Amino acid sequence: MPQSIPAPHGDESRPGPRRADVRHDLWAPTLVRAVVALVFAAITVFWQEPSPAAGRWVMALFLVGTGLSALFLQVRLNRNESVDLGASRGIPQSYGVLYVLGGALTAVVATSNWVFVLLSAVVLGLCGITELVLGMRFRGEFPLGRDWTLCGAITVFAAMGMVLVETLGTKAELGVVGGAAILIGVTQLIAALSLRHDARAADGTAAHPSREG
């Protein structure tokens, strides 16, 4: 869950005009990711007999949607000067692009089940590992550090799960990723609401400093 800190590295204590709380820029992309994950999870739960072709497109849309949420997050990070992630600043864009390209390839190229599983698992695995490493690097320094760690780990396990159930068909493959999407969707929804609440609370404290304590 997001930590109750306004910006990494204590930037809020530096002299100069007060900058916007970084959490204002984080909650909307986090909410978008939550919605994408929960919609995909709902489809996998209630869709009892997905055809391979339809399942391929649903997975592709999930990957693309997740990638777009990461690119949205990158745009928000880029516009906030108080964000100091160093050389890691552009990582969300990197795995966001990989998600989008992977989704496009899954929709177009994955004409057989093993290719579908291979492409999806590789994309999920690479993106999950990247997000996991990013989260571990900023776990105690950035509001989304813990969420990146959790979502990255869940995504890696989803990739491995797809490979393990490859012989069971599309329903099982989507079910594994759908289960992971439920966990990601719920945690990201809570994170988004917490980020929005904490940002507003911090704004209120800054506007009325006499209310602190």
Side-chain angles (χ1 to χ4, degrees):
M1 297 303 102
Q3 299 166 276
S4 297
I5 56 177
H9 307 309
D11 187 79
E12 70 280 5
S13 63
R14 296 176 186 174
R18 187 173 66 87
R19 296 172 179 175
D21 192 305
V22 67
R23 289 169 296 196
H24 282 299
D25 295 309
L26 300 180
W27 74 265
T30 304
L31 181 61
V32 170
R33 184 177 187 180
V35 171
V36 170
L38 292 174
V39 169
F40 174 77
I43 292 174
T44 62
V45 168
F46 294 107
W47 196 7
Q48 295 302 313
E49 297 183 3
S51 67
R56 180 176 78 237
W57 278 98
V58 170
M59 177 65 76
L61 291 174
F62 170 63
L63 295 176
V64 170
T66 303
L68 291 177
S69 72
L71 295 176
F72 182 23
L73 173 62
Q74 186 69 64
V75 170
R76 288 297 188 92
L77 291 175
N78 289 344
R79 79 178 191 179
N80 193 317
E81 295 180 356
S82 70
V83 175
D84 181 13
L85 300 180
S88 302
R89 186 183 182 96
I91 288 182
Q93 175 178 302
S94 300
Y95 64 75
V97 170
L98 181 56
Y99 267 125
V100 173
L101 292 178
L105 284 175
T106 299
V108 176
V109 176
T111 55
S112 63
N113 186 63
W114 74 268
V115 175
F116 166 65
V117 171
L118 177 64
L119 278 175
S120 300
V122 168
V123 172
L124 290 171
L126 290 177
C127 292
I129 290 172
T130 304
E131 187 174 16
L132 175 61
V133 172
L134 178 65
M136 293 177 67
R137 167 66 179 83
F138 293 100
R139 184 179 178 85
E141 302 178 40
F142 194 71
L144 282 181
R146 293 181 180 178
D147 293 280
W148 283 335
T149 303
L150 179 61
C151 292
I154 292 172
T155 303
V156 171
F157 281 116
M160 294 188 295
M162 278 198 77
V163 175
L164 293 176
V165 302
E166 186 268 335
T167 59
L168 300 181
T170 304
K171 174 63 177 176
E173 293 154 3
L174 292 180
V176 168
V177 183
I182 292 175
L183 297 176
I184 291 174
V186 171
T187 57
Q188 291 292 275
L189 179 60
I190 295 172
L193 297 177
S194 299
L195 286 165
R196 188 168 184 264
H197 174 271
D198 291 346
R200 288 188 169 187
D203 286 347
T205 300
H208 305 281
S210 61
R211 296 182 182 179
E212 289 191 49

